[in-house]
Amino acid sequence: QLQLEESGGGLVQPGGSLRLSCAASGFALEDYAIGWFRQAPGKEREAVSCISSGGNRKYSDPAEGRFIISRDNAKNTVYLQMNSLEPEDTAVYYCASPRTRFGRCVLEMTEYDYWGQGTQVTVSS
């Protein structure tokens, strides 16, 4: 059964860093685009970043220049390195994959079919 599991969230001070992990089971993550999304309290879920199976990357405007997405195919894991964190980054972060292999990196929720349970990131002093 295809599953995604996020980890690495927590409480961090403004200006700090966190690295989120998205571990896949039941499929070879290297064949799929993976997206990171987040949802803050009272707000809609929004795209953060994505990476295609070929390594192409995209970032939302808030993430550009601060976040880095990468993948370790040997570990079947995608990472989201988040630097210079701000209170506005506080949210539950989700990773997701589409049903089809070798898809494009797209910052649209509707393109993704499988979702993890999310990991909480809180940025506060």
Side-chain angles (χ1 to χ4, degrees):
Q1 183 176 356
L2 189 151
Q3 287 187 322
L4 296 168
E5 182 175 4
E6 305 91 340
S7 62
L11 174 64
V12 63
Q13 293 187 342
S17 298
L18 281 175
R19 189 178 76 161
L20 305 183
S21 298
C22 173
S25 59
F27 70 107
L29 187 144
E30 65 183 319
D31 291 342
Y32 293 82
I34 297 294
W36 280 99
F37 299 82
R38 69 185 184 185
Q39 187 165 18
K43 295 187 177 181
E44 294 185 353
R45 194 170 297 188
E46 63 177 4
V48 176
S49 182
C50 61
I51 185 167
S52 71
S53 58
N56 292 324
R57 298 166 172 82
K58 292 183 180 179
Y59 299 93
S60 65
D61 287 343
E64 185 74 51
R66 298 188 300 130
F67 295 1
I68 302 171
I69 191 170
S70 63
R71 61 195 313 151
D72 185 336
N73 293 331
K75 294 183 177 180
N76 221 28
T77 300
V78 168
Y79 302 100
L80 185 68
Q81 176 68 43
M82 305 189 296
N83 303 316
S84 302
L85 285 163
E86 304 167 350
E88 294 72 23
D89 296 314
T90 295
V92 178
Y93 284 70
Y94 301 88
C95 64
S97 73
R99 182 176 292 111
T100 56
R101 299 167 65 194
F102 308 120
R104 297 179 299 123
C105 167
V106 181
L107 293 176
E108 293 287 343
M109 285 190 297
T110 55
E111 296 294 315
Y112 296 85
D113 302 294
Y114 303 108
W115 293 79
Q117 293 299 308
T119 185
Q120 175 70 47
V121 171
T122 303
V123 185
S124 175
S125 56

